[in-house]
Amino acid sequence: MGLLRIMMPPKLQLLAVVAFAVAMLFLENQIQKLEESRSKLERAIARHEVREIEQRHTMDGPRQDVALDEEEDMVIIYNRVPKTASTSFTNIAYDLCAKNKYHVLHINTTKNNPVMSLQDQVRFVKNITSWKEMKPGFYHGHVSYLDFAKFGVKKKPIYINVIRDPIERLVSYYYFLRFGDDYRPGLRRRKQGDKKTFDECVAEGGSDCAPEKLWLQIPFFCGHSSECWNVGSRWAMDQAKYNLINEYFLVGVTEELEDFIMLLEAALPRFFRGATELYRTGKKSHLRKTTEKKLPTKQTIAKLQQSDIWKMENEFYEFALEQFQFIRAHAVREKDGDLYILAQNFFYEKIYPKSN
């Protein structure tokens, strides 16, 4: 064979090599198609087995009822941080509640105090868990995180939240106290009549724009412990991070609110079916805008950023943003500038014992 190859003209040798390469490519392509067909067949068999099991459970009755009861027993708590687009998001929940058949309740605390007394904590936990007439329920209010497990509750509610760049949030709140917003323009605000800009306030060292006022998102996530409200507490920030990861279903950011809503609709359609389209087309998507708000100068921002409190709040914000973007990256794909939710990307197989 080696002698024949040597005696073959160069052109024939080249043709032989090309033919061999084409044959190998053809075989590889056929093998790939066979692998894809095998994978599709396995998925089809697995889906058939799952359907058989579901049909048996449907005939048995009780297990399907239990699953339905669990969905109807669902409670979501949105302990909204002030000036993070919380009104815009909450209005979507109100618009969808009749259509999706759930209840929305506002947690109205005296003077918007985010810390409940111990007795109110007990009352609140009891209400949330035993008020069957209000289930499924969506509760929202300016209340710091409350650990339901401390009260012996077996099934905890689902916590969600949205946070914002800390300086942007403070600037928005500063002007809100003076000029209100376009949601209730006739309502008199606490600082109404004060025309001082945020830049002027920072330059003069005013109390309403002091770095201490940045300390809000961390304690809201930290909770009801005294250390949570100790301004600048490293323990509070660590606890807030822990709660964000372990106790919150999803935390979005104001700057990417539409993506937050899209993920909620994909993961919790019982509440948020239709939310993305409503946000994009509805009149309430950007309902609440602070009036007379002036963006701070670079000098003002730089001065606030010298504060250790800003550094901690910003670290927490960046931490939340990273987590949200990680979740989003594994849930959506981008095509032509738009985001699309991924379809189910797992299936069950090798289900035993086999049905007769």
Side-chain angles (χ1 to χ4, degrees):
M1 183 69 182
L3 183 62
L4 288 172
R5 188 175 63 223
I6 293 172
M7 294 176 63
M8 287 176 63
K11 288 185 179 180
L12 287 178
Q13 290 184 23
L14 179 61
L15 286 173
V17 171
V18 170
F20 178 77
V22 169
M24 291 301 298
L25 288 172
F26 175 79
L27 286 174
E28 287 178 0
N29 183 260
Q30 293 301 308
I31 291 171
Q32 184 177 354
K33 286 183 177 179
L34 286 172
E35 287 291 331
E36 291 175 354
S37 298
R38 183 180 64 82
S39 178
K40 289 179 180 179
L41 181 61
E42 288 177 348
R43 287 174 181 264
I45 293 171
R47 284 195 295 268
H48 177 71
E49 291 177 340
V50 170
R51 277 197 298 269
E52 282 189 339
I53 293 172
E54 288 175 343
Q55 287 172 0
R56 290 204 304 271
H57 288 174
T58 300
M59 293 173 65
D60 295 340
R63 290 200 177 185
Q64 186 182 9
D65 292 341
V66 169
L68 190 64
D69 287 344
E70 287 179 356
E71 189 173 71
E72 296 305 304
D73 195 43
M74 189 181 297
V75 172
I76 293 176
I77 297 181
Y78 171 35
N79 64 316
R80 42 196 283 197
V81 179
K83 305 312 297 176
T84 57
S86 61
T87 299
S88 297
F89 175 63
T90 302
N91 277 325
I92 290 176
Y94 276 111
D95 286 347
L96 292 174
C97 65
K99 179 182 177 182
N100 291 345
K101 294 182 171 55
Y102 62 88
H103 297 86
V104 181
L105 299 90
H106 178 218
I107 310 162
N108 191 340
T109 59
T110 304
K111 297 182 179 179
N112 283 329
N113 186 356
V115 178
M116 290 182 173
S117 65
L118 183 61
Q119 58 270 30
D120 274 349
Q121 293 178 41
V122 174
R123 295 185 188 108
F124 180 61
V125 170
K126 185 177 180 181
N127 291 154
I128 291 285
T129 55
S130 62
W131 198 358
K132 293 182 180 180
E133 293 78 8
M134 290 295 111
K135 292 181 179 180
F138 179 95
Y139 292 76
H140 67 97
H142 298 312
V143 182
S144 60
Y145 169 77
L146 184 62
D147 183 7
F148 277 60
K150 291 173 60 176
F151 301 87
V153 174
K154 292 182 179 179
K155 183 178 180 180
K156 298 193 292 185
I158 296 173
Y159 267 94
I160 62 173
N161 217 326
V162 178
I163 68 171
R164 186 177 185 178
D165 175 274
I167 292 180
E168 290 182 6
R169 192 206 65 80
L170 179 59
V171 171
S172 182
Y173 189 64
Y174 177 88
Y175 286 107
F176 172 73
L177 291 179
R178 284 154 178 77
F179 302 102
D181 54 31
D182 55 1
Y183 182 51
R184 291 183 289 180
L187 186 63
R188 182 175 178 83
R189 300 296 173 180
R190 182 152 45 97
K191 296 285 185 175
Q192 188 167 328
D194 182 2
K195 305 294 185 181
K196 188 183 300 180
T197 68
F198 187 81
D199 287 329
E200 292 169 344
C201 178
V202 171
E204 296 173 9
S207 59
D208 285 347
C209 55
E212 288 76 16
K213 295 294 183 181
L214 291 166
W215 189 259
L216 190 68
Q217 298 186 131
I218 285 175
F220 256 74
F221 279 79
C222 179
H224 277 70
S225 301
S226 61
E227 188 64 18
C228 294
W229 298 88
N230 184 2
V231 177
S233 167
R234 172 63 59 172
W235 181 90
M237 186 180 70
D238 291 341
Q239 185 64 38
K241 287 182 177 180
Y242 175 87
N243 288 342
L244 187 148
I245 293 296
N246 296 283
E247 305 296 342
Y248 280 79
F249 179 77
L250 184 65
V251 176
V253 293
T254 303
E255 297 79 5
E256 299 173 12
L257 188 60
E258 182 178 324
D259 295 353
F260 172 71
I261 293 170
M262 182 187 296
L263 290 175
L264 283 177
E265 180 174 358
L268 298 174
R270 177 66 183 82
F271 284 82
F272 298 104
R273 185 177 290 108
T276 307
E277 184 66 20
L278 181 62
Y279 179 82
R280 289 171 177 170
T281 62
K283 295 179 181 179
K284 295 182 178 181
S285 61
H286 298 286
L287 175 64
R288 197 166 192 168
K289 292 184 179 179
T290 303
T291 308
E292 301 289 334
K293 183 169 66 176
K294 297 179 178 63
L295 296 178
T297 64
K298 292 181 179 180
Q299 292 80 3
T300 296
I301 293 174
K303 187 172 183 179
L304 286 173
Q305 289 177 342
Q306 294 174 6
S307 164
D308 289 337
I309 298 170
W310 172 82
K311 292 175 183 177
M312 294 180 71
E313 276 280 345
N314 191 65
E315 180 181 335
F316 179 69
Y317 169 76
E318 294 288 345
F319 178 81
L321 178 61
E322 180 182 353
Q323 299 305 316
F324 175 70
Q325 291 177 340
F326 177 83
I327 293 172
R328 183 181 60 189
H330 288 77
V332 303
R333 285 293 179 268
E334 184 176 352
K335 184 179 180 181
D336 299 329
D338 293 324
L339 295 180
Y340 297 89
I341 292 292
L342 289 175
Q344 182 170 312
N345 205 24
F346 72 94
F347 65 97
Y348 303 103
E349 62 179 354
K350 301 177 183 178
I351 302 173
Y352 290 86
K354 296 291 184 180
S355 58
N356 296 326

